[in-house]
Amino acid sequence: MVFGAAFLAGMAPTLVANAINAGSAFATTYGGVDVTPPDFSFSVVRSYVADMQFVLLLLAIAWTALIFRWRRESGIRQVLLSRPEI
């Protein structure tokens, strides 16, 4: 009971803002494009692969692999891959 009252008190500002902005407390202020699920197609995948961010992601993965390979004698790998003793 107390949780329900606290939850309603916490949600009150959001419900009032939706009532003012959208006309109803439970109506959304987002349009139809914003609430549809993303579409998976190969043109979308091609756009991500052609983007510069994908190249940077590949460079970061390669750089991390090289660090692990070059620094075997250092404690970096042992710290990352070890589990704590209980």
Side-chain angles (χ1 to χ4, degrees), residues 19-68:
I20 292 170
N21 295 327
S24 172
F26 299 109
T28 182
T29 55
Y30 296 106
V33 176
D34 296 325
V35 296
T36 56
D39 182 32
F40 179 78
S41 65
F42 289 108
S43 64
V44 173
V45 173
R46 187 174 33 135
S47 296
Y48 278 112
V49 171
D51 190 33
M52 184 62 178
Q53 188 172 0
F54 183 74
V55 175
L56 294 175
L57 179 65
L58 288 180
L59 286 173
I61 291 170
W63 186 252
T64 303
L66 284 174
I67 288 173
F68 280 155

